[in-house]
Amino acid sequence: MGSEGERPFRLAVLMTSHNRKDLTLRCLNSLFASATEAPVSLDVFLAEDGSTDGTAQAVAAEFPSVSIIQGSGEWFWAKGMEIAWRQAARYDYDAYLWLND
């Protein structure tokens, strides 16, 4: 990271959520606000595990760049993170951040 003309640092952010709409939205707001301070390109992969509180819809409306992977409510945190990881690993990132909201 440094000189002009170089590409920004590419970071894949991996998250999972189940019925945590408000917490997930606050977390994403903080994440994207902090990213404006550094030369970083963020791609967020959210394993949204069948929430009934409108998490997926709210995230899609407020953060259309977030890749939402829909689940059925049976993944729990570890499986959701694995699924987000597998989705992100298909691309070439400089680093991966496991983010628990």
Side-chain angles (χ1 to χ4, degrees):
M1 296 187 320
S3 66
E4 261 183 60
E6 287 186 31
R7 70 173 176 80
F9 187 82
R10 295 189 65 236
L11 180 64
V13 179
L14 313 175
M15 298 177 66
T16 192
S17 182
H18 177 75
N19 286 335
R20 294 162 57 113
K21 177 174 68 174
D22 293 337
L23 191 57
T24 300
L25 292 173
R26 284 196 315 265
C27 181
L28 288 169
N29 272 309
S30 294
L31 173 69
F32 283 109
S34 68
T36 63
E37 303 297 319
V40 63
S41 168
L42 292 180
D43 289 332
V44 178
F45 296 85
L46 173 64
E48 205 302 298
D49 194 20
S51 294
T52 57
D53 68 350
T55 300
Q57 296 84 352
V59 169
E62 196 167 330
F63 302 98
S65 66
V66 171
S67 296
I68 300 172
I69 308 141
Q70 286 292 331
S72 63
E74 298 175 356
W75 290 343
F76 303 99
W77 188 83
K79 186 65 174 179
M81 293 303 282
E82 176 193 354
I83 288 168
W85 165 261
R86 288 183 185 277
Q87 183 73 20
R90 297 178 1 197
Y91 306 97
D92 184 31
Y93 288 99
D94 296 310
Y96 300 85
L97 172 67
W98 287 38
L99 180 60
N100 187 352
D101 59 11

